[in-house]
Amino acid sequence: MGATPIGLLSVVRYPQEVDDAEFREVMAGIHQGCTDCGTLNVGGDIGNAERIILSATAFGVCRPGSALMRSGARPGDLLCVTGPCGLLGAAVAYFPRRDTFEKSLPEEVERRLLDGWKRPRARVAEGRILGAKAYATACQDTSDGLKATMPPESFRISTCERLQLVRSRDRS
């Protein structure tokens, strides 16, 4: 991570029931994601499947030795995140049972959960800054959740004697 994006290969598989408007919406979302990251969807594969399947591989370039790999993490490193965590997990837990709750979440909160789930945002600019200035030794996405991202042996929050959490928000 920390590279300048130069392309995306996407895989779009969909069932026969998906109409042209839905297909265009999926492709528009892929295009918007690429635009947001300053790159292009340069190819991939489109075809039929029993359900919608979306997958992609992004690639980019960086100076030799400056790529932020998962393997760069060392004991004692600080764990920092550049965006919200837990939105996908909260959406997956909440929406299937929403009708069983006495009270639903406010509309704005539901919209935020859905946006986090349906429109994940790659932190490309943050990765480039972290890599260019050597602020970080490692990077990894948290699309599977923060806890799932970390190896079990390093996830010891429950056994720490002292835990310091520093939260910084973009105030612009």
Side-chain angles (χ1 to χ4, degrees):
M1 295 194 192
T4 299
I6 59 172
L8 179 93
L9 296 172
S10 62
V11 174
V12 179
R13 298 285 183 179
Y14 58 96
Q16 297 284 346
E17 301 81 49
V18 171
D19 63 23
D20 290 349
E22 289 174 295
F23 181 78
R24 281 193 297 274
E25 188 176 343
V26 168
M27 296 309 293
I30 293 169
H31 176 75
Q32 186 61 56
C34 288
T35 299
D36 291 349
C37 294
T39 195
L40 298 171
N41 184 1
V42 296
D45 190 40
I46 296 174
N48 290 60
E50 292 179 17
R51 59 188 169 88
I52 292 180
I53 300 169
L54 303 174
S55 179
T57 299
F59 50 97
V61 294
C62 62
R63 286 175 296 143
S66 68
L68 295 171
M69 311 293 276
R70 296 175 188 178
S71 59
R74 299 288 177 256
D77 283 355
L78 293 174
L79 171 66
C80 303
V81 295
T82 60
C85 293
L87 291 178
L88 173 60
V92 169
Y94 173 74
F95 285 106
R97 300 182 312 187
R98 178 174 71 173
D99 295 338
T100 67
F101 300 132
E102 284 184 35
K103 195 174 183 183
S104 59
L105 293 171
E107 188 175 318
E108 177 57 34
V109 173
E110 286 189 353
R111 187 174 19 262
R112 185 167 179 227
L113 289 177
L114 283 173
D115 281 348
W117 184 14
K118 292 181 174 182
R119 292 178 175 82
R121 182 179 155 303
R123 301 279 187 204
V124 174
E126 293 88 338
R128 291 183 65 202
I129 290 168
L130 292 170
K133 299 292 186 180
Y135 293 125
T137 59
C139 273
Q140 183 171 339
D141 72 276
T142 57
S143 59
D144 293 326
L146 183 60
K147 186 175 180 182
T149 297
M150 300 170 61
E153 64 276 4
S154 68
F155 196 73
R156 302 194 186 281
I157 290 176
S158 61
T159 61
C160 286
E161 292 179 24
R162 183 175 149 247
L163 175 67
Q164 180 181 13
L165 177 64
V166 178
R167 181 174 171 181
S168 175
R169 297 189 78 159
D170 181 351
R171 300 194 191 283
S172 57

